């Protein structure tokens, strides 16, 4: 698997663009079902071109995914499936799973047959993720899950969840966690949507009431969940840093309602510019179209935006080089910090260029409300995938060698740690 984004140069970019466009000329058939089209796209390695060929990819740098999807959009073809399965579950299972788990879970993700959500955060465990209290109790060859998650994006339309649960309360908090691939369609799982300031309800609360997961779906072994989680978070942050998240990709899985549709119709209904985060190029394009590209204030902010975007790209290049030498673990945090700045500044600059119209959403707004939507979504970029403060802590401690934050409970058995919500220990439910 290719680590991180290479930020490949214009020549590689043009060659890849030509290759994808040539492939689309031969293969894009709007009369196929979405199901059949996504299988063909996955078979050619275009869904996740950054994966190794024997993993279903093409062994290209991570940014290739952005180039490939842009070429699909330009051609008018339905984009490959997106979602958190592709961003996080597949690379985590490829890295930490057994051959059987890889075979069962990864191909359906690449072919868009299933959707995944991330069941990490809890009401009492966000930044302090290792403080989670959702409990998994072994029962023969299965585990019984009780507790609650929150901020679970797209859980309503997901089939599987990347579930973190505590399997051992008698060891220090980082050591008693396990990572499960949990089936969501079962009686013990209740999903309730939460309305956001964007007007959408992407977030959910998820409650587990004697939910069941097979031991065969425990990834990385019991008690090794923190290590597996680091893998997931690494892919989340490097993926976000490469601009791959929240970009309006078509939703996979049966609940997304796409699989049985005609691919040409689905392509028309998923406009390529439907995305929540904007890039430097999006804003330059807007500035040119609105005649504001010569305005010195706009140019100054564009330069700032370019600097953040380029810093992120160079950071990714450096990360790739370091990864090739066996290091470079913290580039994900730096890349994510750069991307937060790009997302926030792009939204602010875009709406200020549009003036009053920048406040209009939907079909009434200029650019169909894309900039207004990006503006209300942009504060989220400094929170999801770990807040900016936490990314800075990681860089400070692991890259700059500054003293670690005090953590007096780090080595105590988790069951002895004082918490504000002890009921989950006794009653088995964090809700
Ligand atoms: C759009 C979006 C999508 C999300 N999707 C998912 C998802 O699919 N699955 C999932 O599991 N979670 C998801 N989350 C949740 C996200 O991971 C958490 O919100 C995040 O980790 C912060 O946790 P918290 O909200 O509990 O805030 P807290 O941890 O309570 O933090 C509150 C504030 O205190 C600061 N803070 C906390 N600890 C420290 C520290 N040690 N040093 C300095 N400052 C600190 C934080 O930076 C923050 O500003 C999503 C969040 C957003 C915004």
């Amino acid at each position: 698997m290719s680590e991180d984004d290479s930020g490949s140069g214009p020549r590689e970019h043009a060659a890849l663009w030509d290759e994808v466009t040539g492939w689309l000329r031969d293969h894009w058939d709007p009369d196929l079902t979405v199901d059949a089209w996504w299988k063909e796209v996955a078979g050619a390695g275009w869904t996740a071109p950054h994966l190794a060929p024997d993993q279903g990819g093409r062994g290209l740098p991570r940014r290739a995914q952005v180039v490939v999807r842009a070429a699909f959009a330009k051609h008018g073809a339905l984009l490959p499936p997106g979602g958190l399965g592709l961003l996080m579950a597949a690379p985590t299972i490829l890295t930490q799973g057994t051959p059987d788990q890889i075979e069962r879970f990864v191909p359906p993700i690449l072919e868009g047959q299933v959707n995944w959500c991330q069941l990490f955060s809890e009401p009492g465990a966000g930044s302090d993720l290792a403080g989670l209290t959702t409990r998994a109790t072994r029962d023969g060859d299965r585990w019984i899950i009780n507790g609650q998650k929150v901020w679970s994006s797209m859980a309503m339309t997901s089939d599987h969840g990347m579930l973190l649960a505590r399997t051992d309360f008698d060891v220090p908090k980082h050591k008693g966690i396990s990572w499960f691939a949990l089936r969501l369609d079962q009686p013990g799982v209740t999903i309730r949507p939460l309305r956001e300031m964007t007007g959408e309800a992407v977030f959910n609360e998820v409650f587990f009431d004697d939910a069941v997961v097979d031991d065969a779906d425990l990834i990385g072994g019991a008690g090794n969940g923190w290590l597996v989680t680091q893998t997931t978070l690494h892919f989340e942050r490097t993926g976000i840093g490469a601009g791959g998240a929240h970009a309006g990709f078509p939703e996979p899985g049966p609940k997304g309602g796409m699989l049985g549709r005609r691919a040409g119709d689905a392509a028309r209904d998923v406009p390529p510019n439907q995305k929540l985060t904007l890039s430097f190029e999006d804003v330059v394009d807007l500035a040119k179209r609105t005649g504001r590209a010569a305005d010195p204030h706009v140019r100054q902010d564009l330069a700032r935006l370019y600097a953040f975007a380029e810093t992120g790209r160079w950071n990714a290049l450096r990360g790739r080089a370091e990864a090739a030498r066996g290091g470079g673990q913290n580039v994900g945090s730096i890349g994510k910090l750069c991307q937060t700045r790009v997302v926030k500044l792009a939204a602010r600059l875009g709406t200020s260029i549009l003036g009053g119209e920048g406040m209009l959403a939907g079909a009434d707004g200029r650019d169909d409300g894309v900039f207004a939507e990006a503006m209300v979504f942009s504060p989220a970029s400094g929170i999801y995938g770990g807040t900016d403060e936490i990314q800075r802590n990681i860089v400070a401690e692991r890259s700059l060698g500054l003293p670690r934050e005090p953590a007096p409970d780090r080595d105590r058995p988790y069951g002895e740690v004082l918490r504000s919500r002890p009921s989950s220990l006794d009653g088995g439910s964090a809700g």
Side-chain angles (χ1 to χ4, degrees), residues 49-136:
H50 53 289
L51 297 180
D54 63 351
Q55 296 173 330
R58 289 180 155 242
L60 296 172
R62 185 174 274 278
R63 190 172 283 273
Q65 195 176 18
V66 177
V67 177
V68 168
R69 283 163 194 262
F72 269 61
K74 179 89 180 159
H75 195 81
L78 177 67
L79 268 57
L84 302 188
L86 194 62
L87 182 71
M88 289 181 260
T92 301
I93 295 169
L94 281 166
T95 310
Q96 304 283 353
T98 62
D100 163 64
Q101 290 168 336
I102 291 172
E103 198 181 314
R104 283 190 294 123
F105 291 120
V106 176
I109 293 175
L110 300 186
E111 293 174 357
Q113 303 296 301
V114 288
N115 199 10
W116 283 66
C117 64
Q118 183 192 38
L119 301 170
F120 282 15
S121 305
E122 298 184 2
S127 299
D128 181 22
L129 182 58
L132 61 92
T133 58
T134 290
R135 173 191 287 261

Side-chain angles (χ1 to χ4, degrees), residues 118 120-121 126-127 151 153 203 380 383-384 387 389-390 393 405:
Q118 183 192 38
F120 282 15
S121 305
S127 299
W151 316 130
S153 306
F203 284 148
I383 303 174
Y384 58 69
T387 66
E389 290 78 17
I390 295 303
N393 282 353
E405 271 197 285

Side-chain angles (χ1 to χ4, degrees), residues 34-35 38-39 81-82 108-109 111-116 154-160 183-185 250-261:
V34 171
D35 187 16
W38 276 349
K39 283 183 176 149
I109 293 175
E111 293 174 357
Q113 303 296 301
V114 288
N115 199 10
W116 283 66
M154 290 173 289
M156 283 297 267
T157 49
S158 291
D159 314 286
H160 271 90
R183 243 184 338 97
L184 290 171
D185 290 323
E251 198 169 0
K255 293 180 202 165
M258 302 270 286
L259 292 176
R261 299 191 63 198

Side-chain angles (χ1 to χ4, degrees), residues 393-414:
N393 282 353
I394 293 172
V395 172
E397 293 177 10
R398 299 189 204 160
S399 297
L400 303 178
L402 295 177
R404 288 183 76 98
E405 271 197 285
D409 293 334
R410 173 174 284 273
D411 298 321
R412 293 184 77 180
Y414 191 66

Side-chain angles (χ1 to χ4, degrees), residues 65-421:
Q65 195 176 18
V66 177
V67 177
V68 168
R69 283 163 194 262
F72 269 61
K74 179 89 180 159
H75 195 81
L78 177 67
L79 268 57
L84 302 188
L86 194 62
L87 182 71
M88 289 181 260
T92 301
I93 295 169
L94 281 166
T95 310
Q96 304 283 353
T98 62
D100 163 64
Q101 290 168 336
I102 291 172
E103 198 181 314
R104 283 190 294 123
F105 291 120
V106 176
I109 293 175
L110 300 186
E111 293 174 357
Q113 303 296 301
V114 288
N115 199 10
W116 283 66
C117 64
Q118 183 192 38
L119 301 170
F120 282 15
S121 305
E122 298 184 2
S127 299
D128 181 22
L129 182 58
L132 61 92
T133 58
T134 290
R135 173 191 287 261
T137 310
R138 190 187 266 281
D139 175 27
D141 58 1
R142 53 188 210 154
W143 295 82
I144 309 299
I145 314 294
N146 283 285
Q148 186 202 336
K149 299 288 171 179
V150 72
W151 316 130
S152 318
S153 306
M154 290 173 289
M156 283 297 267
T157 49
S158 291
D159 314 286
H160 271 90
M162 300 165 247
L163 171 72
L164 290 188
R166 192 168 295 284
T167 42
D168 190 346
F169 282 80
D170 296 329
V171 294
K173 65 180 184 181
H174 293 88
K175 301 205 167 126
I177 296 171
S178 301
W179 198 113
F180 295 95
L182 175 89
R183 243 184 338 97
L184 290 171
D185 290 323
Q186 56 168 304
V189 176
T190 306
I191 303 173
R192 283 197 211 141
L194 294 165
R195 183 78 48 195
E196 297 129 39
M197 74 185 210
T198 56
E200 307 286 332
V202 177
F203 284 148
N204 299 271
E205 297 178 289
V206 181
F207 299 89
F208 309 106
D209 215 348
D210 289 337
V212 176
V213 58
D214 288 341
D215 189 53
D217 297 346
L218 166 62
I219 311 291
N224 285 327
W226 193 246
L227 175 72
V228 185
T229 300
Q230 295 314 304
T231 307
T232 313
L233 294 177
H234 170 76
F235 286 113
E236 180 174 26
R237 288 165 192 165
T238 50
I240 292 170
H246 302 289
F249 300 151
E251 198 169 0
K255 293 180 202 165
M258 302 270 286
L259 292 176
R261 299 191 63 198
R262 185 178 167 272
D265 295 343
R268 216 184 38 233
D269 296 349
V270 183
N273 67 344
Q274 185 199 350
K275 52 189 182 183
L276 294 170
T277 61
L278 301 167
S279 64
F280 169 72
E281 288 78 11
D282 292 324
V283 188
V284 169
D285 179 52
L286 178 72
K288 285 183 181 160
R289 279 190 285 119
T290 51
R292 297 287 306 282
D295 179 322
H297 294 290
V298 171
R299 292 181 77 82
Q300 188 167 340
D301 269 345
L302 278 176
R304 197 169 285 141
L305 189 55
Y306 180 75
F308 285 134
E310 278 299 281
T311 307
R313 194 174 70 81
W314 289 338
N315 170 67
L317 273 173
R318 190 181 53 126
R320 192 156 192 252
E322 284 183 15
R325 292 196 298 269
Q329 293 308 307
N330 304 316
V331 290
S333 294
I334 300 171
K336 206 210 151 222
L337 284 166
C338 290
Q339 183 64 8
T340 300
R341 271 145 197 76
V342 169
V343 168
K344 288 187 176 172
L345 182 53
R348 184 170 62 73
L349 183 53
T351 43
S352 82
I353 288 172
L354 284 168
E357 286 192 46
M359 290 187 288
L360 297 177
D364 293 326
R366 186 112 62 98
D367 285 279
D368 207 14
V370 166
F371 284 85
E373 282 197 35
M375 187 66 186
V376 285
F377 182 77
S378 64
S381 64
I383 303 174
Y384 58 69
T387 66
D388 280 2
E389 290 78 17
I390 295 303
Q391 305 311 319
R392 283 196 211 98
N393 282 353
I394 293 172
V395 172
E397 293 177 10
R398 299 189 204 160
S399 297
L400 303 178
L402 295 177
R404 288 183 76 98
E405 271 197 285
D409 293 334
R410 173 174 284 273
D411 298 321
R412 293 184 77 180
Y414 191 66
E416 291 175 12
V417 172
L418 278 180
R419 291 182 308 282
S420 56
R421 301 165 56 83

